[in-house]
Amino acid sequence: MSPISAPSKRKPSRKRRTNKHVKADPSYRHVFDSAVIGLAIVDLDGTVRAVNKALCEMFGYSSDELVGRSFPVAMGLEGSPAAKIHLQLIAQEIDGFRTEIEYVRKDGVIVHALSTASLERDSAGRPTHFLSQIVDITSLRRAEEALRKSEQRLRLAFESTAIGFAVASTDGRITEVNRSFCEMVGYTEAELLNMRYADITHAEDLALIEPALERLHAVGTALQEKRFIRKDGLRIWASVGLGLARDGTGQPAYVLAQITDITARKEAEESAARRAIELEQSNSDLRQFVYLASHDLQQPLRGVASYGRLLSDRYGDALDARAARWISYITEGVDRMQRLIDDLFTLAGVGTDVKGFQPLSVDATVQLCWDTLVVANATVDANLTTTALPVIEGDAQQIELLFQNLLGNAIKYRRRDIPLEVSIAAERSASPLGPIWEFAVRDNGIGFDTAYRDQIFEIFRRLHSGAEYEGTGIGLALCRKIVERHGGRIWADSTVGKGSTFTFSLNEHRPN
Ligand code: ADP
């Protein structure tokens, strides 16, 4: 027999007194039975005298199964650490206790309970019985355990994520940081916990803190891109998401910051912006240069042209056929030079940014270009077909230049043995930036070797000789520049002897 169940020597007399007490007052009996916490009246020798309904339900026993048995044994405490305190109570070494105890239900399941036991006395101060009160806190313990596990998971996420986390008090003192944040700013956790959020903020971004706090107090969250200064003095860019936590009374408690290092992206953006400025500068320098150069080049060119004309007008009769041919070479050279200067001037005029975006009818533009070209090439047997062509937003002058060049090339690089057939098709597709139109200008001309499909868009790159097909090699470079300035791209396909297709995309609306 376990020491817990050993009967006390003074048992009989005390048992009688306890019984009398419980049975004496029916109102006590009612309170006892209907209490929501488990109650047991235990004789001074440890024998259960009475138990209430709540206690029976808590442990899965009927009252008959418990009454008359040793309390510690009946409650599954035998051999457990909790047995000791019960024995001390029964031995009256202590007057009572209040502690958490694990009891065992009838079905073997452990019940976590808050157990209070006290030695009761009569009016003369003589011990009469023990009163044991038991509250089942198993679900509370389970909830605590679940909470502990979820906290553990959160802590693990907090510690192991690549995102930096920092917790700061509402007056900006850093109170908690994770490993990623320490690595990001190059300080140890201990160093950061002695610092304020402002201490690691770039001087120029200190002004961002106040508005972020105002927003936090107003709407609870704030997002900003800002710079931190690392311990080694280096600057890093970060995207910081802030959240304000409030305490139970609704008062701001602390600020949680999630920090992602975006230095690489920011530096790429900064260098792209720098490049754009440099490019704009060099483009405007180039435009200026081309303008001046064309002006300066045209002066002597005009001189050469007019002296050539004078020579042939005044001395034409006196010159032999060879001299006349040489003079015609001079005039042709001058014309070609003039065209080159004009084309270069046009190319330089298409700036980095397309201004003057307006809705324009591609159909009307195509018709105008085609009509002009057909008039200029009256002897050519040519036919143009198109699908329905849309209205898009673009620079009308540049889009006209684009079609002028593509249709002009189709006529220029036609086959002489068959009538020229040109077709233009347009197809609309969706993109994240809005609807896009893809235009395909197809001819049945001489075609070109597709090994050169990229080179032909470079300036001065010509696949067909100047003697056969006159040109400056600037047209397609101009087309590419126009399309790219409109946010699209252009490419070519061809089969030698069969024809070529030039395809390009344009946004339906002006890109932002
Ligand atoms: P250019 O026509 O003044 O030579 P472009 O830049 O317009 O200059 O064209 C570059 C080269 O691409 C041309 O010299 C020609 O060899 C080739 N090319 C352009 N369009 C066509 C076409 N429709 N068919 C065949 N070849 C073409």
Side-chain angles (χ1 to χ4, degrees):
M1 189 183 271
S2 119
I4 301 176
S5 57
S8 142
K9 283 180 210 137
R10 289 167 290 175
K11 183 181 73 176
S13 60
R14 276 167 193 151
K15 189 164 73 181
R16 268 197 307 279
R17 272 205 297 279
T18 307
N19 267 340
K20 239 191 275 162
H21 172 77
V22 171
K23 281 179 183 159
D25 191 336
S27 67
Y28 270 128
R29 183 79 229 181
H30 176 71
V31 171
F32 182 80
D33 277 340
S34 59
V36 289
I37 61 172
L39 294 174
I41 291 173
V42 180
D43 275 348
L44 293 174
D45 66 356
T47 308
V48 177
R49 197 47 49 207
V51 286
N52 74 347
K53 223 167 110 214
L55 189 125
C56 290
E57 280 167 8
M58 210 181 284
F59 294 99
Y61 289 106
S62 68
S63 95
D64 289 346
E65 284 173 304
L66 294 171
V67 172
R69 295 186 67 197
S70 148
F71 181 75
V73 175
M75 303 305 286
L77 293 178
E78 235 178 333
S80 80
K84 193 175 159 210
I85 194 165
H86 283 79
L87 286 177
Q88 283 177 314
L89 186 68
I90 291 163
Q92 293 182 20
E93 289 167 11
I94 52 173
D95 265 7
F97 62 78
R98 182 185 165 81
T99 186
E100 262 184 62
I101 292 178
E102 285 181 4
Y103 294 102
V104 183
R105 276 171 55 105
K106 186 180 178 184
D107 58 11
V109 173
I110 303 281
V111 176
H112 293 273
L114 184 64
S115 178
T116 309
S118 51
L119 178 66
E120 303 295 314
R121 295 172 190 275
D122 63 14
S123 49
R126 286 182 300 259
T128 53
H129 61 280
F130 301 108
L131 178 63
S132 184
Q133 305 175 46
I134 299 173
V135 181
D136 186 348
I137 55 166
T138 309
S139 48
L140 186 71
R141 282 284 162 272
R142 275 203 203 113
E144 277 175 2
E145 178 64 7
L147 190 66
R148 198 184 56 73
K149 281 197 177 137
S150 107
E151 267 178 1
Q152 206 174 29
R153 278 197 295 271
L154 270 178
R155 161 96 10 221
L156 192 72
F158 185 80
E159 278 308 329
S160 59
T161 176
I163 297 173
F165 278 104
V167 179
S169 59
T170 47
D171 63 355
R173 272 177 303 104
I174 298 172
T175 57
E176 220 174 322
V177 286
N178 73 344
R179 189 181 40 78
S180 289
F181 187 60
C182 293
E183 281 167 12
M184 236 178 252
V185 291
Y187 286 100
T188 63
E189 183 178 352
E191 285 169 333
L192 283 170
L193 297 186
N194 273 323
M195 296 171 84
R196 307 176 67 82
Y197 189 61
D199 296 338
I200 45 172
T201 295
H202 189 287
E204 285 170 29
D205 291 342
L206 286 173
L208 296 175
I209 295 180
E210 204 46 49
L213 282 176
E214 274 166 27
R215 210 189 125 79
L216 271 184
H217 285 284
V219 292
T221 58
L223 182 69
Q224 47 183 217
E225 289 186 353
K226 57 170 288 185
R227 287 159 291 180
F228 288 109
I229 297 293
R230 285 173 48 91
K231 189 179 179 184
D232 57 16
L234 287 182
R235 178 205 73 175
I236 59 161
W237 269 101
S239 162
V240 183
L242 296 166
L244 180 69
R246 294 180 183 275
D247 63 17
T249 63
Q251 286 305 306
Y254 59 86
V255 178
L256 174 69
Q258 287 178 53
I259 304 117
T260 315
D261 189 339
I262 54 165
T263 311
R265 168 164 74 76
K266 275 288 180 185
E267 278 172 1
E269 279 173 13
E270 278 172 1
S271 84
R274 259 197 318 274
R275 270 205 306 280
I277 292 169
E278 283 163 14
L279 197 67
E280 179 47 46
Q281 184 58 46
S282 82
N283 267 325
S284 98
D285 290 352
L286 186 69
R287 276 197 297 278
Q288 183 78 356
F289 167 75
V290 170
Y291 177 77
L292 292 174
S294 66
H295 182 264
D296 289 357
L297 283 174
Q298 270 168 354
Q299 286 283 87
L301 209 56
R302 256 182 243 123
V304 176
S306 52
Y307 283 112
R309 249 192 326 273
L310 268 178
L311 208 57
S312 88
D313 286 354
R314 297 256 181 102
Y315 303 96
D317 298 340
L319 298 171
D320 61 9
R322 192 153 56 152
R325 203 167 61 244
W326 287 353
I327 290 178
S328 81
Y329 288 163
I330 293 174
T331 325
E332 277 166 25
V334 167
D335 283 351
R336 189 170 150 64
M337 187 71 156
Q338 186 64 55
R339 273 197 306 278
L340 255 173
I341 291 171
D342 289 347
D343 283 359
L344 271 176
F345 192 61
T346 312
L347 183 70
V350 177
T352 44
D353 188 22
V354 179
K355 296 176 184 79
F357 261 84
Q358 59 185 58
L360 62 96
S361 157
V362 175
D363 190 54
T365 308
V366 163
Q367 280 314 321
L368 180 76
C369 293
W370 184 250
D371 291 348
T372 318
L373 286 164
V374 166
V375 170
N377 297 275
T379 55
V380 177
D381 186 2
N383 180 43
L384 172 74
T385 51
T386 69
T387 60
L389 297 176
V391 169
I392 59 160
E393 285 176 13
D395 180 312
Q397 223 178 344
Q398 291 186 10
I399 301 297
E400 196 180 315
L401 263 175
L402 172 67
F403 281 106
Q404 223 172 56
N405 273 282
L406 294 177
L407 293 172
N409 280 352
I411 292 176
K412 187 164 34 168
Y413 300 107
R414 70 186 181 279
R415 272 173 57 170
R416 310 289 150 145
D417 55 337
I418 52 170
L420 170 63
E421 286 293 337
V422 182
S423 71
I424 302 181
E427 210 178 280
R428 189 174 191 257
S429 61
S431 90
L433 299 174
I436 285 182
W437 284 93
E438 206 167 272
F439 299 89
V441 179
R442 193 183 310 268
D443 65 50
N444 61 345
I446 58 171
F448 61 87
D449 183 346
T450 47
Y452 301 104
R453 65 202 300 186
D454 294 330
Q455 280 103 312
I456 56 172
F457 291 100
E458 289 167 12
I459 189 164
F460 301 138
R461 185 61 76 124
R462 308 199 67 218
L463 303 182
H464 299 94
S465 79
E468 236 182 307
Y469 302 96
E470 135 175 329
T472 57
I474 294 175
L476 287 180
L478 181 68
C479 290
R480 184 171 73 177
K481 198 168 176 191
I482 291 172
V483 170
E484 286 177 356
R485 296 296 178 264
H486 278 76
R489 58 185 202 96
I490 185 167
W491 64 99
D493 254 312
S494 188
T495 309
V496 175
K498 290 235 155 79
S500 312
T501 305
F502 288 84
T503 314
F504 57 92
S505 57
L506 291 173
N507 296 304
E508 188 169 288
H509 302 292
R510 176 185 191 141
N512 292 321

